[in-house]
Amino acid sequence: MSLNFDNFNSIISLFHHQAKTLKDSDYLWKKSDGKFLSQTWDEVRKSVESIAKGLLSLGILKGDRVVILSENRPEWQIADLAIMSIGAISVPVYTTSTTSDYSHVINHSGARCIIVSSHELCVKALPAVKQSSICKNVIKINEDEKKYKEPINIIYWNSLLNSNHDLNFNFEEEAKSTLRTDTACIIYTSGTGGSPKGVMLSHGAMLTNCTGAKELLKNLLHGMKEIRFLSWLPLSHSYEHTLQFFTLGIGAQVYYAEGIDKLVVNMGEVSPHF
């Protein structure tokens, strides 16, 4: 718990520091074929850089907005960090939202790309993408052979991950040049009081929240050598979105719950501290 969030200019600088320090330690855990499997910090870093280069190859530039539509899983955080790594801005949306909600967020934010996890979510999101004049790329995480009637360019996550993008991009230099006042993400309100409102959150805002969380939890965390965190509140929610950077900063291992219906089972399997 000696890390000081106030010493970092951006979420990305924090991530690079932790990935270098904790390199071969387990970081993100996901249930697969009945058991939790992990990715190390270094594996996550490589995935972040591969997806970031993939976004660059699609023409995503500094300041561009990229929507993330997915349940909680390692790819969510990897996508978030990849977007921020190139100076772009992530726009999380809820999996429970409607096509009209997605249309509003895509158009209002001016998003140029959307990352969608599954076929079920593509069915809701693609009609909204079709209505956009500038959102031209859909990155789909799950590999399947599903077809869609919308004439939209779909790129699979694994093809971006495994492509040998010949791009000379210095991620650490980009991280150093990012300011705490730069916008990291735009999180939309639920829309219960009219159309969802986009809230621009800076790197500094989220790092300051992490400093506050560290102060509040210091007595609980004191002396802990290993910290297990079970993530289940939607990452599209500002609370969990900030928490992922807090757990990143304290070097916790993050286990992604399979869903609210499996939460009690997952708690028994993981024995999380939080």
Side-chain angles (χ1 to χ4, degrees):
M1 284 296 291
S2 59
L3 182 146
N4 186 345
F5 288 98
D6 295 337
N7 289 341
F8 295 90
N9 63 309
S10 69
I11 296 294
I12 299 305
S13 293
L14 173 64
F15 171 66
H16 282 298
H17 175 274
Q18 292 295 74
K20 270 186 181 175
T21 305
L22 301 167
K23 198 169 179 179
D24 296 320
S25 303
D26 291 325
Y27 180 30
L28 303 181
W29 294 78
K30 178 186 176 184
K31 193 82 169 284
S32 181
D33 295 327
K35 63 187 235 177
F36 278 98
L37 300 175
S38 72
Q39 294 182 51
T40 66
W41 283 87
D42 199 49
E43 288 169 337
V44 171
R45 178 192 62 78
K46 288 174 181 172
S47 293
V48 166
E49 293 187 0
S50 291
I51 295 299
K53 286 183 177 179
L55 290 170
L56 287 168
S57 72
L58 293 172
I60 304 302
L61 305 170
K62 191 177 182 108
D64 282 345
R65 278 73 67 200
V66 179
V67 173
I68 304 174
L69 172 55
S70 170
E71 64 287 342
N72 291 17
R73 55 194 291 172
E75 292 89 348
W76 207 111
Q77 185 176 141
I78 289 165
D80 201 21
L81 292 168
I83 293 162
M84 293 181 194
S85 289
I86 59 172
I89 297 168
S90 59
V91 183
V93 288
Y94 288 96
T95 58
T96 51
S97 294
T98 64
T99 298
S100 63
D101 288 332
Y102 298 143
S103 183
H104 171 75
V105 170
I106 289 168
N107 290 318
H108 187 268
S109 68
R112 296 191 58 223
C113 178
I114 182 170
I115 299 171
V116 187
S117 63
S118 66
H119 167 66
E120 291 74 22
L121 290 173
C122 273
V123 168
K124 286 202 293 179
L126 292 187
V129 175
K130 185 183 176 185
Q131 293 166 17
S132 167
S133 59
I134 62 170
C135 189
K136 297 300 180 190
N137 291 295
V138 176
I139 298 168
K140 187 175 174 183
I141 297 174
N142 289 352
E143 292 273 2
D144 58 42
E145 299 302 318
K146 301 292 186 182
K147 305 292 183 189
Y148 305 97
K149 61 178 181 288
E150 290 84 7
I152 290 164
N153 181 37
I154 294 178
I155 307 106
Y156 281 103
W157 177 272
N158 280 340
S159 70
L160 274 190
L161 206 57
N162 300 319
S163 293
N164 184 22
H165 300 293
D166 187 22
L167 290 166
N168 186 20
F169 189 86
N170 191 317
F171 288 99
E172 293 199 42
E173 285 304 311
E174 176 63 33
K176 284 177 189 172
S177 69
T178 303
L179 304 176
R180 282 179 77 98
T181 51
D182 287 345
T183 301
C185 64
I186 303 173
I187 294 183
Y188 279 78
T189 59
S190 62
T192 49
S195 296
K197 315 289 192 299
V199 181
M200 299 163 69
L201 293 172
S202 67
H203 287 271
M206 290 189 287
L207 288 167
T208 301
N209 279 346
C210 291
T211 297
K214 180 185 171 185
E215 178 63 25
L216 287 168
L217 297 171
K218 64 183 178 183
N219 293 335
L220 286 171
L221 295 166
H222 181 69
M224 290 178 69
K225 295 283 184 266
E226 179 183 286
I227 303 166
R228 291 183 302 279
F229 178 81
L230 184 64
S231 173
W232 69 274
L233 192 71
L235 279 161
S236 48
H237 189 283
S238 59
Y239 184 74
E240 190 82 356
H241 190 241
T242 291
L243 266 179
Q244 76 174 338
F245 303 129
F246 175 69
T247 53
L248 187 159
I250 63 172
Q253 297 181 45
V254 180
Y255 289 76
Y256 292 97
E258 296 173 273
I260 188 75
D261 56 324
K262 301 278 185 69
L263 188 58
V264 174
V265 172
N266 292 159
M267 286 176 74
E269 294 168 320
V270 173
S271 298
H273 300 99
F274 295 93

